[in-house]
Structure formats: structure tokens, C-alpha cells
Amino acid sequence: MTIQQPDYNPSGVGEINGNIFGLPCDYESANLIVIAVPWEVTVSYGAGTANGPQQILDASIQLDLFDFDHPDGWKQGIFMMEIPQDILEKNEYYRTLAAKIIERLAQGKQLTATPDLTPVLTAINQAGEQVNQWLFTQCQAAMNQGKRVAVIGGDHSVPLGYFQALAAKYPNYGILHIDAHADLRDAYEGFEFSHASIMFNGLKIPQISKLVQVGLRDISHDEVKMIDQSDGRIIAYYDPIIKQKLYAGSTWIDICQEIISHLPEYVYLSFDVDGLDPKLCPSTGTPVPGGLELEQTFCLFRELVKSNRKIIGFDVCEVGDAEWDGNVGARIVYKLANLMDLSLSPLHRV
């Protein structure tokens, strides 16, 4: 047990102490370090996810800490690092610049037209690389101290530095990806670190041996082609096909077990909340009708733990700037933290 206050009452009123869920622990005493990355420079539809980490932090105090899968999960010690205001300020600056590029492309004009925006694109890509390097450094520092890490976005471009840090530790791991979008575009709109390119960039990391995507329903021809030609490295479970199987009488448990069968022993969970039915996080950046229920995703993750696979990390991204979205996002973070703790415990039960 790493909670600093031995008399802490998990049934008490959530304390506004600056930490997620009001837990009385700090960086040194916590086992799980939560890193916020308030970055959404390349978002191409609705903005606001840069404020997602703050919404999750604010809402987390309202959660009751009893978890049906892991009642003592709070004891692991969860600490959320301070939201980096310098990244948030840079996000606002570069987001304004990116909007000019997005508008230019939407008009069917070249970036080299007057005024030439190619230097602006270069600056945005360099800023994205700096954020990736910052996150890599933060994750590696925590992992070198034996801690686990979770990342909260921002848009879905943000966890790349964490992917890279895990690759320095694990020679082979898979990603279980919940999303409405495949995110397999090569430098979407010219942005090397676009929210629509996170899995394309992730697959450049050779240690990521498998990408299993669940809930896809808004996808390009090129992305489908990439999946089909990946020689099994990418496995897609499209939302309409999942639904058709369920309507025909397949059970969700059976589908979950099939999904999990494709994954290696070590698994990273990448959770874009637009993979859910939009009623759950309506302020997400790119909502799409359809999608998964929250308990469907939790069921999938429970089955993952039951399979004796190890959850080595996770991110929760694209939570919008709204109180309800923060509420749902906080519950996702807490559930994933507890399931990760269970999966890494010598004797776990789900």
C-alpha cells in the first residue's frame, strides 16, 4: 500500500487536494503516474480536447472509489502530475497557425501559394516533435523508478512519446486500440504528428508487433488498404461488422475473446473516447454515430486480464471540454488503472 495517510477513508468525501481522485499520494509514493498532455494542435474538426485533462481532474473528485473489479485498487497510489501550462500555451499558439493550413487545404489551394505556409507547417511539425520528446523523457524517468505510467490527452497524437519509451523497455508489445478512426494516415493534412496519424507513426516502432483496432467506423480507402496489406500486423474490428454479428446472435464475450487472441503477452491500451457511442462523450473532437457502450469496452479489458496478458500502459484521449465528458473520462482512467494493476499482480482475479 502506497497511500501516504494510513487513516485515509476511501468512502469519505473526495478531497480537492490537486491530485486525481483526491488520493493522498505524491509522485514518490504513487505506483501509477498520470501525465497530462494538453495538446490538440492538429485537430481538424471540434476543438477543446486540450482541456480534457483538466476536465478529468475536476470530475475525478466526484467518483466513489469502490471498483467492482478491484475494490482495493485505490491503494496502488495514483498521482497526476501538474498539467504543463507551457504545453497548453504552445498548443494555443500553434493551433492558430495550424488552422490557417487546414483552411488553405480546404479551399483546394497549395501551401506554397501567397503567403507561403510551408515554413509554418515545418514549425508545427517541430513543435509536435518537441512534445513527443518531452513525453518520452517524462515516461522514461517514471519507468526507471519502477513506476507505471498513464497518459491523458489532448488529441490522439499525444501518446507517441510513451509508445517510444515502452519500446525501450519491451522488445515486443501490442496495442489494443479503441477508436472510431483507424488513425493510419500518413501525415494527415501535412502534419507529421496529426491526431489522424498516431497509429501510422506508432507502427514505425518495430517493437509494436500487433495493432488490434476495435470500433472503427469512419475510415478512408487508403487506411483499409493498409490494414488489408499489413500481413496480419493490423487487425481491424469494424463497428458495423461487430454490430451485425451481435444482431445475428454472437455474444460479445465470444467476440472479445477472438479480439484478444490476436494480442501478445504485453498489451498497451489506447482509448480514444470517440470509439464510444457519442452520447457518452459528445464534446469529443470528431464524434461519429454508432460505437461501443462503456461497459462493452470494460468487458473487453476484463477478458484481456483474464487471459493473463499484461497491461503495460494506457492512454485516454479526445475527452472534450465539458463536465459530462470529464466525468466519463475520469471513470475510464480509474477503471484502466485498476485493471492494469490487476493484470500486473502475481495473483489476480477478475
Side-chain angles (χ1 to χ4, degrees):
M1 175 174 172
T2 59
I3 292 294
Q4 287 184 311
Q5 298 178 11
D7 59 347
Y8 174 74
N9 178 13
S11 297
V13 176
E15 180 182 344
I16 302 176
N17 60 3
N19 190 25
I20 195 165
F21 311 117
L23 292 173
C25 51
D26 58 16
Y27 189 102
E28 296 304 320
S29 62
N31 277 333
L32 175 62
I33 304 300
V34 179
I35 304 175
V37 189
W39 188 259
E40 60 167 1
V41 167
T42 67
V43 66
S44 50
Y45 189 58
T49 62
N51 295 321
Q54 187 66 56
Q55 290 290 350
I56 288 174
L57 177 61
D58 292 346
S60 70
I61 309 302
Q62 303 302 320
L63 270 64
D64 279 316
L65 296 179
F66 182 90
D67 182 274
F68 286 94
D69 296 304
H70 193 6
D72 289 334
W74 60 274
K75 291 183 178 181
Q76 67 183 287
I78 304 170
F79 177 74
M80 182 172 173
M81 295 173 59
E82 185 175 351
I83 297 172
Q85 294 303 304
D86 59 331
I87 290 181
L88 187 59
E89 291 170 5
K90 289 178 181 177
N91 170 77
E92 293 171 359
Y93 172 75
Y94 285 106
R95 173 78 190 110
T96 301
L97 297 179
K100 296 179 181 179
I101 292 176
I102 294 169
E103 182 181 4
R104 176 77 63 84
L105 294 174
Q107 294 172 348
K109 299 178 181 179
Q110 297 295 318
L111 293 187
T112 51
T114 305
D116 186 356
L117 294 180
T118 51
V120 175
L121 178 61
T122 298
I124 291 170
N125 286 337
Q126 289 174 344
E129 176 58 39
Q130 290 169 0
V131 171
N132 294 336
Q133 185 58 48
W134 174 84
L135 182 59
F136 174 86
T137 301
Q138 296 295 325
C139 292
Q140 195 164 64
M143 291 161 61
N144 286 343
Q145 295 183 46
K147 298 182 183 299
R148 306 163 190 165
V149 174
V151 169
I152 301 177
D155 72 27
H156 208 171
S157 69
V158 303
L160 184 60
Y162 189 16
F163 292 178
Q164 294 164 339
L166 287 169
K169 180 176 181 180
Y170 296 95
N172 171 29
Y173 72 94
I175 296 178
L176 178 55
H177 176 205
I178 305 297
D179 208 320
H181 310 91
D183 293 346
L184 291 170
R185 296 175 183 266
D186 182 1
Y188 184 58
E189 297 177 320
F191 303 121
E192 183 178 356
F193 304 109
S194 168
H195 65 99
S197 303
I198 180 60
M199 294 305 164
F200 181 90
N201 291 330
L203 289 172
K204 295 177 183 177
I205 301 171
Q207 290 89 338
I208 298 176
S209 60
K210 188 76 72 168
L211 171 63
V212 180
Q213 305 182 288
V214 182
L216 307 184
R217 56 194 186 278
D218 194 14
I219 191 168
S220 71
H221 287 81
D222 286 347
E223 289 173 304
V224 173
K225 184 177 179 181
M226 183 176 179
I227 292 167
D228 291 343
Q229 295 181 353
S230 70
D231 197 25
R233 190 181 182 199
I234 310 171
I235 304 292
Y237 282 83
Y238 300 107
D239 188 61
I241 296 176
I242 290 173
K243 298 288 174 51
Q244 197 71 18
K245 288 182 178 180
L246 292 173
Y247 301 152
S250 296
T251 70
W252 178 236
I253 290 289
D254 287 342
I255 295 173
C256 288
Q257 291 173 350
E258 180 187 322
I259 291 169
I260 292 163
S261 71
H262 299 290
L263 289 162
E265 179 182 4
Y266 297 109
V267 180
Y268 177 94
L269 304 180
S270 193
F271 200 129
D272 184 329
V273 298
D274 71 30
L276 299 170
D277 185 308
K279 69 180 182 238
L280 292 163
C281 285
S283 299
T284 188
T286 315
V288 183
L292 302 165
E293 294 295 334
L294 189 57
E295 276 300 330
Q296 277 186 294
T297 66
F298 291 168
C299 176
L300 173 60
F301 302 150
R302 288 186 193 103
E303 291 300 311
L304 181 72
V305 176
K306 284 182 180 178
S307 74
N308 290 320
R309 287 169 174 80
K310 308 299 182 185
I311 300 171
I312 58 173
F314 68 87
D315 65 69
V316 178
C317 293
E318 303 281 356
V319 172
D321 188 11
E323 184 177 357
W324 171 247
D325 299 61
N327 184 312
V328 174
R331 295 175 190 280
I332 296 171
V333 171
Y334 191 56
K335 177 62 73 174
L336 298 192
N338 287 335
L339 290 177
M340 179 163 68
D341 188 54
L342 277 178
S343 78
L344 297 174
S345 299
L347 298 173
H348 67 254
R349 282 185 177 179
V350 179

